[in-house]
Amino acid sequence: MLKFYCYPKCSTCKKAQKWLEEHEVAYTYYDIVTQTPSANEIKAILTKGTHPLKYYFNTSGQHYREQNLKERLAEMDIDEISQLLSQDGMLLKRPLLIDDNEVICGFKENIYQSELL
């Protein structure tokens, strides 16, 4: 089953959820702030994905800027990053879609179309 992590107040998350519902894609909903994936789950996501680690961060978010992560990320290992992301769901790029084979961050209709249908 597809896991859909989103922030309820995020307009991009709302668009992604609407797209999933309109295309009858089955998913389980998780609030990215109150139901943040564990460090082990995040590590599995990071190792499953083919993107650089920065891809999984909400780089435009306040929490990212406050912690000066732009400068710190290069020095962090995957365990440190997994722990950090598991402690603050607002650091994760959203929406976050996960299944057994795929990890998609953000919402781009053409990517959802090609990967989910």
Side-chain angles (χ1 to χ4, degrees), residues 1-2 5 7-8 13-14 20 24 26 29 47 49 52 58 80 84 88 104-105 107:
M1 172 68 74
L2 188 65
Y5 287 92
Y7 180 56
C13 290
K14 290 176 186 178
L20 291 170
E24 299 178 358
Y29 177 93
T47 56
N58 177 12
E80 292 171 310
L84 180 66
D88 185 353
I104 303 171
C105 289
F107 174 64

Side-chain angles (χ1 to χ4, degrees), residues 1-18:
M1 172 68 74
L2 188 65
K3 293 181 179 181
F4 179 66
Y5 287 92
C6 110
Y7 180 56
K9 295 179 183 178
C10 171
S11 61
T12 303
C13 290
K14 290 176 186 178
K15 289 177 191 174
Q17 187 172 16
K18 181 180 178 185

Side-chain angles (χ1 to χ4, degrees), residues 59-71:
T59 58
S60 61
Q62 181 178 354
H63 294 207
Y64 183 86
R65 290 190 307 272
E66 286 173 350
Q67 296 183 45
N68 196 28
L69 290 172
K70 181 177 182 181
E71 305 299 324

Side-chain angles (χ1 to χ4, degrees), residues 106-117:
F107 174 64
K108 292 189 176 168
E109 190 170 342
N110 62 327
I111 293 173
Y112 272 42
Q113 184 80 26
S114 65
E115 298 295 327
L116 301 173
L117 297 181

